[in-house]
């Protein structure tokens, strides 16, 4: 199976970076997938295809995602951030960057802005999480059982997920890409690193909450996803509160599901272009 991007070595493990360079002096957009998105490169395609030629962008697949190998390193936010930064470095991609984070990876994007403000020119949230969002969410009591069942049914679950994915339904992937997405999704479905990230998320949220809100321009795109709002009723409120002290924050609410970059890619791309200029 052909690797769409470049494999680089980070902490003795291979990580996959899909990079498209544009002839522009604008910062590089770094697309960071949410928890459990098994094949980020193709999951983001509805969005990145609209960015091609306008911006340089990179999809950095964390260990246990996409074409990246499993790692034995802990899934604390600092480790994950350093892996992302080193993967970009090894791929020859220099900053400044615009971390563009979906869901749980919002914690990594915020941490990036806290620790390395000179590298981060802005942050874009694709219905991303902020620390307080995890105060209302708890792991399901049958989490271990759910993982076991998912592993037993990897192939049919992967096939169903890929078949229903907007990029596939809209014909945005080639036959080869669809086949690769099915294989990668089955391989990485609830990988050990994905499971460990979920277990670390509460500690990571507290770590990020202890730092200051990054004082960089922020575009916070929020969805009115029923599932997210059921688990976290104050989803929109906690974002407004977290960025209250950052006067460079813009909010955009979309009437769609949690995967805003898949469901409303044209609106997301338009908002990003207006935000970045």
């Amino acid at each position: 199976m052909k690797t769409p991007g470049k494999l680089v070595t980070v902490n003795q493990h291979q990580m996959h970076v899909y990079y498209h360079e544009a002839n522009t002096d604008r910062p590089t957009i770094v697309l960071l997938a949410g928890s459990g998105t098994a094949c980020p490169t193709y999951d983001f395609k509805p969005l990145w295809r609209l960015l091609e030629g306008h911006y340089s962008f990179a999809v950095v697949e964390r260990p246990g995602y996409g074409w990246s190998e499993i790692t034995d390193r802990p899934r604390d936010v600092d480790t994950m951030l350093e892996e992302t930064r080193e993967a970009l470095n090894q791929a020859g991609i220099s900053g400044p960057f615009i971390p563009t984070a979906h869901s749980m990876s919002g914690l990594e994007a915020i941490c990036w802005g806290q620790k390395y403000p000179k590298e981060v020119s802005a942050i874009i949230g694709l219905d991303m999480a902020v620390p307080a969002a995890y105060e209302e969410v708890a792991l399901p009591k049958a989490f271990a059982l759910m993982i076991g069942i998912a592993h037993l049914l990897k192939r049919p679950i992967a096939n169903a997920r890929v078949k229903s994915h907007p990029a596939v339904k809209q014909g945005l992937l080639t036959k080869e890409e669809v086949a690769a997405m099915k294989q990668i999704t089955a391989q990485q479905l609830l990988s050990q690193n994905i499971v460990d990230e979920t277990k670390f998320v509460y500690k990571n949220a507290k770590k990020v909450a202890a730092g200051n809100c990054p004082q960089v321009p922020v575009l916070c795109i929020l969805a009115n996803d029923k599932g997210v709002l059921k688990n976290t009723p104050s989803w929109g409120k906690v974002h407004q509160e977290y960025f209250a002290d950052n006067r460079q924050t813009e909010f955009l609410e979309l009437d769609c599901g949690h995967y805003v970059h898949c469901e409303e890619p044209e609106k997301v791309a338009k908002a990003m272009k207006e935000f970045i200029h």
Side-chain angles (χ1 to χ4, degrees):
M1 179 175 52
K2 184 180 178 182
T3 305
K6 185 176 182 179
L7 291 172
V8 297
T9 302
V10 178
N11 295 331
Q12 300 180 320
H13 294 86
Q14 287 194 316
M15 286 181 65
H16 178 241
V17 180
Y18 181 79
Y19 179 56
H20 174 86
E21 186 175 9
N23 185 21
T24 175
D25 57 358
R26 298 187 183 98
T28 297
I29 296 168
V30 181
L31 295 163
L32 302 170
S35 176
T37 303
C39 191
T41 295
Y42 293 148
D43 176 72
F44 277 121
K45 188 172 182 179
L47 177 59
W48 61 246
R49 71 185 180 90
L50 301 174
L51 304 175
E52 281 186 302
H54 301 282
Y55 308 95
S56 295
F57 66 83
V59 181
V60 180
E61 295 184 334
R62 295 192 297 279
Y65 288 74
W67 281 262
S68 295
E69 293 181 333
I70 300 287
T71 183
D72 55 0
R73 297 293 178 104
R75 297 295 83 199
D76 61 281
V77 67
D78 291 294
T79 295
M80 292 191 291
L81 172 59
E82 296 311 321
E83 288 170 343
T84 296
R85 294 177 67 246
E86 183 59 21
L88 290 166
N89 179 54
Q90 292 296 326
I93 306 169
S94 58
F97 302 110
I98 301 177
T100 301
H102 176 236
S103 196
M104 189 180 74
S105 64
L107 297 179
E108 182 180 343
I110 294 170
C111 184
W112 201 342
Q114 290 172 338
K115 294 182 70 174
Y116 304 103
K118 292 182 179 180
E119 290 182 8
V120 177
S121 63
I123 293 173
I124 296 175
L126 304 175
D127 213 27
M128 75 176 188
V130 294
Y134 292 99
E135 293 177 3
E136 297 181 356
V137 181
L139 282 177
K141 293 181 180 179
F143 186 58
L145 178 61
M146 291 166 58
I147 294 170
I149 293 173
H151 284 171
L152 287 172
L153 301 173
K154 272 189 172 186
R155 181 63 63 179
I157 291 175
N159 288 343
R161 280 193 176 188
V162 172
K163 184 178 180 180
S164 63
H165 194 283
V168 176
K169 293 175 70 175
Q170 296 170 26
L172 303 180
L173 302 183
T174 66
K175 290 182 179 179
E176 292 76 15
E177 289 172 338
V178 172
M181 191 177 187
K182 286 181 179 179
Q183 184 174 338
I184 288 297
T185 301
Q187 177 182 315
Q188 301 286 36
L189 184 68
L190 289 178
S191 68
Q192 188 58 52
N193 289 153
I194 290 175
V195 173
D196 289 344
E197 281 181 8
T198 303
K199 294 177 180 177
F200 261 90
V201 73
Y202 303 102
K203 186 182 294 184
N204 288 338
K206 289 181 180 179
K207 165 72 169 56
V208 174
N212 294 324
C213 176
Q215 294 300 305
V216 298
V218 174
L219 172 61
C220 192
I221 301 173
L222 296 172
N224 62 353
D225 182 83
K226 293 180 181 178
V228 172
L229 293 174
K230 181 180 179 180
N231 293 322
T232 315
S234 62
W235 183 253
K237 181 182 177 182
V238 296
H239 288 78
Q240 294 279 352
E241 291 176 347
Y242 184 78
F243 291 112
D245 293 332
N246 183 346
R247 296 184 179 181
Q248 302 176 83
T249 303
E250 300 176 22
F251 290 92
L252 172 64
E253 295 186 9
L254 296 179
D255 185 19
C256 67
H258 185 47
Y259 281 70
V260 293
H261 54 282
C262 294
E263 297 190 29
E264 293 288 359
E266 287 81 9
K267 291 181 180 180
V268 170
K270 181 176 183 291
M272 289 176 65
K273 290 174 183 177
E274 292 175 351
F275 174 70
I276 298 171
H277 302 300

